[in-house]
Amino acid sequence: MRAAVLREIGAPLRLEDVELDEPKAGEVLVRIEAAGVCHSDLHYMMGDLKAKLPLVVGHEGAGVVEAVGSRVGDGVAVGDRVALLWRPRCGECEACVSGNPVLCRFGRVLASTNGLMDGETRLHQGEQRIYHLMGVSCFAERVVVSETSVLRVPDGVPSEIAAISACAVITGVGAVLNAVDRPGGQPLAVFGTGGVGLAAVMGAALTGAHPVIAIDIDPVKLELARRVGATHVVDARESDVVERVLELSDGGVPWMIDAVGRRETMRQAIDCLRPAGTLVAVGLSSTDATVAVPINELVQRQKRIVGSLYGSSNPRIDLPRIFALYLAGRLPLDELVGGRRPLGEVNEAYAELRSGGVGRTILLP
């Protein structure tokens, strides 16, 4: 099969013929129908986040189950349309049983081995093993993944919507639904209007936050933010972000979501908070990136900073809800799709992303 392989940090991806093993016990084989171009992959491609090479990238995907291994449960069968989940779920560790499965112990296994849940890969070229990204590696025609990494997609949800919902949407909408406490009627601001930030704007509008303030440096992205629920936008190139947010929110927002992951935006976001306000950080950065926070401001103004991985979600509960809201017309997810390209144009898709492309590009293997 064909797959996009990262062989050298900073180098273009290479479309290569790769061998894929049959699924083992508890695993499924999925033919990929759509894969989203996400900034997180770029972090690995540029070396901000570490992974073993050579590596098949891509973690935001959807497709059709073509085969199942032994001991696969009733949750998935051949012919099912599924979305791919990039966090495993063993169902037995403390995180899973306490209702926080995005911190499942097997997340570390996937990250440290770049394999599947047994630490081994199913990808190779002859004797050379090729590694998986986040247990998914969906920039390929097919993938083998754990059965815990797939979720059935209801009729009426296109594969491209299912793909982005399982990463960008659940991260952004989930951050509002799960990490923000009763936002209805309260100001909420979102820093960054890429796929995740736009999803957070949708989540804020869905929950009745007001005003919903979107911040970016791209007027085209800000206009899209208006279409999906922002009541106000702030162009960071033309306005003092902190001053403008304080003005729009009557002295500061109780909730701020940073979907950028840069120290500069996080520092501004903290300054935008009112006393007792909370910054919810969802954007990733390099592993050594830090942000300086005045200690007295945290103490005397009781501000808080919390992290939210994968929208602090329980994907098997939250993702079906997102699909239902999409089908009911409550989440305008079609607005997030910015364009479609064949898998062979993956490098062009990432060049577009780095230059500030609007919306999520979908690769069609």
Side-chain angles (χ1 to χ4, degrees):
M1 68 166 190
R2 301 288 277 172
V5 181
L6 176 65
R7 290 193 171 272
E8 181 183 347
I9 297 300
L13 298 173
R14 294 168 50 174
L15 202 64
E16 300 181 6
D17 289 316
V18 173
E19 298 171 75
L20 181 65
D21 296 336
E22 292 297 314
K24 295 185 178 181
E27 297 174 350
V28 298
L29 172 68
V30 179
R31 173 173 50 83
I32 300 299
E33 292 190 327
V37 175
C38 178
H39 204 280
S40 295
D41 293 289
L42 189 59
H43 281 305
Y44 288 97
M45 292 157 60
M46 300 308 297
D48 296 331
L49 299 175
K50 306 304 180 185
K52 295 181 178 181
L53 302 181
L55 177 80
V56 173
V57 295
H59 65 279
E60 187 178 86
V64 177
V65 176
E66 290 192 331
V68 300
S70 63
R71 299 200 299 274
V72 169
D74 297 333
V76 62
V78 172
D80 284 348
R81 296 177 58 247
V82 295
L84 301 177
L85 309 177
W86 51 265
R87 295 299 292 185
R89 178 177 181 161
C90 72
E92 298 175 349
C93 69
E94 181 179 358
C96 286
V97 299
S98 64
N100 195 10
V102 296
L103 295 181
C104 174
R105 58 179 175 168
F106 277 92
R108 288 187 175 274
V109 174
L110 300 190
S112 62
T113 67
N114 285 116
L116 298 187
M117 290 179 72
D118 62 357
E120 301 295 329
T121 80
R122 307 292 179 265
L123 297 162
H124 58 100
Q125 286 178 330
E127 296 300 316
Q128 182 186 39
R129 304 308 299 182
I130 297 177
Y131 294 97
H132 301 259
L133 181 63
M134 302 187 197
V136 177
S137 292
C138 63
F139 286 176
E141 293 173 333
R142 287 171 174 79
V143 298
V144 166
V145 298
S146 165
E147 65 176 314
T148 71
S149 297
V150 299
L151 181 79
R152 282 176 177 159
V153 175
D155 293 340
V157 177
S159 291
E160 58 193 30
I161 298 301
I164 63 175
S165 293
C167 180
V169 176
I170 197 171
T171 297
V173 172
V176 177
L177 297 181
N178 301 315
V180 173
D181 184 30
R182 292 175 294 183
Q186 299 190 80
L188 188 150
V190 179
F191 224 130
T193 53
V196 172
L198 289 171
V201 168
M202 290 184 195
L206 178 73
T207 56
H210 185 81
V212 178
I213 306 164
I215 306 158
D216 207 296
I217 60 173
D218 187 331
V220 179
K221 290 182 179 179
L222 289 172
E223 181 56 37
L224 179 53
R226 284 190 186 275
R227 295 208 305 268
V228 301
T231 60
H232 300 76
V233 299
V234 176
D235 188 331
R237 299 175 308 168
E238 299 182 353
S239 304
D240 182 297
V241 170
V242 176
E243 181 179 294
R244 184 64 177 136
V245 171
L246 294 181
E247 177 187 352
L248 291 171
S249 59
D250 193 24
V253 292
W255 299 100
M256 186 88 187
I257 294 177
D258 181 84
V260 180
R262 294 175 60 90
R263 61 171 60 94
E264 298 87 351
T265 59
M266 289 189 69
R267 189 67 193 86
Q268 288 178 300
I270 293 165
D271 290 339
C272 289
L273 295 174
R274 65 177 55 170
T278 301
L279 166 61
V280 180
V282 302
L284 289 173
S285 187
S286 59
T287 54
D288 60 350
T290 60
V291 59
V293 181
I295 295 173
N296 287 356
E297 187 168 350
L298 287 182
V299 176
Q300 294 174 330
R301 296 175 69 81
Q302 292 191 187
K303 295 184 178 182
R304 298 184 300 158
I305 304 171
V306 300
S308 177
L309 177 66
Y310 216 176
S312 303
S313 65
N314 187 332
R316 296 196 174 277
I317 294 175
D318 291 341
L319 196 52
R321 289 174 176 170
I322 287 170
F323 290 148
L325 289 165
Y326 167 74
L327 291 172
R330 301 289 302 280
L331 285 175
L333 302 182
D334 295 299
E335 294 278 5
L336 293 181
V337 178
R340 300 164 182 83
R341 288 180 176 272
L343 181 61
E345 295 180 6
V346 61
N347 289 309
E348 290 84 349
Y350 271 100
E352 206 169 60
L353 177 67
R354 296 176 72 177
S355 67
V358 178
R360 208 61 150 194
T361 297
I362 306 295
L363 298 177
L364 305 172

